[in-house]
C-alpha cells in the first residue's frame, strides 16, 4: 500500500519540503512499522532542512511522533501490534503517515495522554527533562534564565522550573508571548528585542546573577547569557534559533567567574535505553500530575509542513506544534 511522507532532495527554504508517495515495506529485525496519528514539529527540523546540521540527501525529515504499532520485526520483545507509542530521536522520517523505526526508540504512551499531546511533548519535553534534571539540576531557590520562554521548550521549561521551586526569568520577543510565559510559571519576562538582558537580570536578582542560563536562541543571546550568570554558573547552549554560536575564547568563562559551559544534545542523554526510559518516566510524571501542561498551540496538515516551517522561523508560533497525517 502506498503511503506518503515529507522528503527533501536539496537543502534550502521551506519550499524544498515535498509530499511524496513512499513504499514503507515490512519492518526488519529490531524495527516496528508505526502508523503516526500525530507528528511533532521542532526547530531542529529547520536545521536539517537548511543544512546547518548536514544529512545525506535525499532524506526524510522529523524526529518525533506518536501512533500505533502496525507490524513488529524479528526480535522485538517489548512491543506488539496495536500498542500506543511515542518517540523522539532516531533516524529522520517523522513527517510521515507510516514509517519504520528501531523499536528501542519507542516508549509506550500512557492512556491518559493523547496522540497529539504525545507528539508535541516527546522531543521538547525530554529535552527539558535532561536540561533541568541532568545537565544542571535546578534547586529550590535558584534563579534560572530561560530564553524563548513562550516557545515549545520554553513553555515546558518555565512550568517545570517553577514546579522545582526556582525563580524563573524568561525572555520573549513580544508582550503577548511574555503574558503566555508568565501564565506558565515565569516570574519575570524580559523583552529581549527591546531591553538589554544582562543588566535586567542583575537588577532582578539583587546583583547576583542566575545559577543557570538555558539558551536555545544561540548567536543573538550568547553574550547576554554569559553576562547574566553568577560566579560558577552554568551556561547551557542548547540551540541555534538565531544562528550558531561563533567560536569564543575559554578565558571569557574565567573572567566572568569560573563559569561552566556545555553544548548538549538530547541523543547523548537518551542513547542508552535505561536513560531514555528514566527521562520519559520523569516527563510523564510531571505531565500526568498536572505540574506541566503541554500546550499544542498550532496544528497543520502534514502535507502543509512547509507552512509550519515558515511560521516557526518567522517567530509566529508559541508553545508546541503538531502535524496531522
Ligand atoms: P521554539 O518554539 O522555541 O521556537 C524558536 C523560538 O526562538 C522562536 O519562537 C523565537 O521566540 C525564538 N527566536 C529568537 N531569535 C530567533 C530568530 N532569529 N529566528 C527565529 N526564532 C527566534 O522552538 P523549539 O522549542 O522547537 O526549540 C527551541 C530551541 O531548543 C531551538 O534552538 C532548538 O534547536 C533547541 N533544541 C535543542 C535540543 C538539544 O537537545 N540540544 C533539543 C530540542 C530543542 P521569540 O519570538 O520569543 O524570540
Amino acid at each position: 500500500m502506498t503511503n506518503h511522507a515529507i522528503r527533501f532532495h536539496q537543502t534550502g527554504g521551506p519550499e524544498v519540503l515535498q509530499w511524496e508517495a513512499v513504499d514503507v515495506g515490512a519492518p526488519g529485525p529490531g524495527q516496528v512499522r508505526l502508523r503516526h496519528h500525530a507528528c511533532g514539529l521542532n526547530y531542529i527540523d529547520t536545521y536539517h532542512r537548511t543544512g546547518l546540521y548536514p544529512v545525506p540527501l535525499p532524506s526524510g525529515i522529523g524526529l518525533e511522533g506518536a501512533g500505533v504499532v502496525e507490524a513488529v520485526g524479528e526480535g522485538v520483545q517489548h512491543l506488539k501490534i496495536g500498542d500506543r507509542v511515542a518517540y523522539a530521536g532516531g533516524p529522520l522520517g517523522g513527517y510521515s503517515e507510516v514509517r519504520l523505526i528501531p523499536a528501542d526508540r519507542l516508549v509506550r504512551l500512557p492512556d491518559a495522554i493523547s496522540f497529539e499531546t504525545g507528539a508535541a511533548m516527546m522531543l521538547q519535553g525530554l529535552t527539558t527533562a535532561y536540561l533541568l534534571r541532568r545537565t544542571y539540576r535546578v534547586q529550590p531557590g535558584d534563579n534560572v534564565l530561560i530564553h524563548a520562554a513562550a516557545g515549545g521548550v520554553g513553555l515546558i521549561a518555565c512550568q517545570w522550573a517553577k514546579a522545582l521551586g526556582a525563580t524563573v526569568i524568561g525572555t520573549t520577543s513580544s508582550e503577548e508571548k511574555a503574558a503566555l510565559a508568565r501564565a506558565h510559571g515565569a516570574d519575570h519576562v524580559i523583552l529581549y528585542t527591546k531591553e538589554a538582558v544582562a543588566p535586567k537580570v542583575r537588577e532582578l536578582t539583587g546583583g547576583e546573577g542566575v545559577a543557570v542560563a538555558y539558551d536555545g536562541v544561540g548567536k543573538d543571546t550568547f553574550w547576554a547569557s554569559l553576562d547574566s550568570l553568577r560566579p560558577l554558573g552554568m551556561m547551557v547552549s542548547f540551540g541555534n534559533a538565531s544562528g550558531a554560536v561563533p567560536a569564543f575564547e575559554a578565558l571569557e568563562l574565567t573572567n566572568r567567574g569560573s563559569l561552566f559551559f556545555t553544548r548538549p544534545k538530547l541523543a547523548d542523554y537518551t542513547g542508552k535505553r535505561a536513560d531514555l526510559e528514566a527521562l520519559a518516566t520523569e516527563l510523564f510524571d510531571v505531565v500526568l500530575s498536572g505540574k506541566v501542561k503541554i500546550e499544542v498551540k498550532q496544528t497543520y496538515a502534514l502535507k502543509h509542513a512547509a507552512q509550519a516551517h515558515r511560521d516557526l522561523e518567522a517567530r509566529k508560533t508559541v508553545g508546541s506544534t503538531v502535524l496531522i497525517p
Side-chain angles (χ1 to χ4, degrees), residues 147-148 171 192 214-221 238-243:
H147 287 296
T171 62
Y192 54 7
Y214 291 113
D215 190 337
V217 171
K219 184 166 67 67
D220 288 358
T221 46
F238 69 99
N240 331 279
S242 67

Side-chain angles (χ1 to χ4, degrees), residues 17-302:
L17 301 179
Q18 293 178 15
W19 179 246
E20 293 181 1
V22 290
D23 188 6
V24 176
Q31 291 184 324
V32 305
R33 193 170 70 226
L34 172 64
R35 181 162 292 276
H36 283 130
H37 286 234
C39 313
L41 176 80
N42 292 283
Y43 218 91
I44 191 173
D45 307 338
T46 70
Y47 308 150
H48 292 136
R49 194 204 73 223
T50 60
L52 179 65
Y53 294 174
V55 297
L57 297 176
S59 178
I61 186 167
L63 288 171
E64 182 180 40
V68 173
V69 174
E70 214 177 52
V72 176
E74 196 187 312
V76 175
Q77 305 284 356
H78 71 293
L79 293 171
K80 59 181 188 320
I81 292 171
D83 281 347
R84 301 172 82 247
V85 293
Y87 68 93
L92 296 187
Y95 291 12
S96 56
E97 293 174 324
V98 178
R99 71 171 297 179
L100 302 180
I101 186 164
D104 71 354
R105 293 295 88 204
L106 298 171
V107 295
R108 277 172 201 279
L109 190 60
D111 288 343
I113 298 180
S114 70
F115 290 120
E116 285 78 6
T117 301
M121 71 188 268
M122 290 299 290
L123 202 145
Q124 293 163 352
L126 288 174
T127 297
T128 305
Y130 86 71
L131 292 174
L132 272 56
R133 310 300 292 152
R134 304 282 189 278
T135 309
Y136 174 87
R137 279 185 78 83
V138 173
Q139 306 295 322
D142 276 347
N143 291 305
V144 308
L145 177 62
I146 299 174
H147 287 296
V153 172
L155 279 189
I156 299 173
C158 286
Q159 296 175 80
W160 203 333
K162 187 69 186 166
L164 290 168
T167 297
V168 178
I169 303 173
T171 62
T172 65
S173 64
S174 72
E175 269 303 346
E176 295 74 24
K177 290 187 177 187
L180 191 65
R182 275 191 214 96
H184 290 80
D187 297 280
H188 312 280
V189 181
I190 303 169
L191 294 189
Y192 54 7
T193 40
K194 299 205 174 84
E195 191 175 8
V197 172
K200 188 67 187 176
V201 167
R202 293 284 158 195
E203 185 190 316
L204 291 169
T205 58
E208 185 184 300
V210 292
V212 58
Y214 291 113
D215 190 337
V217 171
K219 184 166 67 67
D220 288 358
T221 46
F222 179 72
W223 294 107
S225 294
L226 285 191
D227 287 337
S228 297
L229 286 161
R230 73 179 185 199
L232 310 192
M234 170 79 84
M235 168 66 180
V236 186
S237 174
F238 69 99
N240 331 279
S242 67
V245 173
F248 67 97
E249 297 284 339
L251 276 176
E252 300 284 0
L253 304 176
T254 319
N255 297 341
R256 287 170 174 76
S258 304
L259 303 179
F260 293 85
F261 174 83
T262 182
R263 178 55 178 90
K265 67 180 195 294
L266 177 63
D268 295 320
Y269 285 84
T270 54
K272 292 188 185 132
R273 178 73 197 175
D275 293 338
L276 170 63
E277 285 179 2
L279 267 189
T281 300
E282 287 184 54
L283 173 61
F284 291 144
D285 282 353
V286 292
V287 170
L288 292 170
S289 69
K291 286 180 187 159
V292 170
K293 185 167 187 302
I294 303 299
E295 298 285 10
V296 182
K297 293 289 197 183
Q298 297 79 212
T299 301
Y300 300 80
L302 176 58

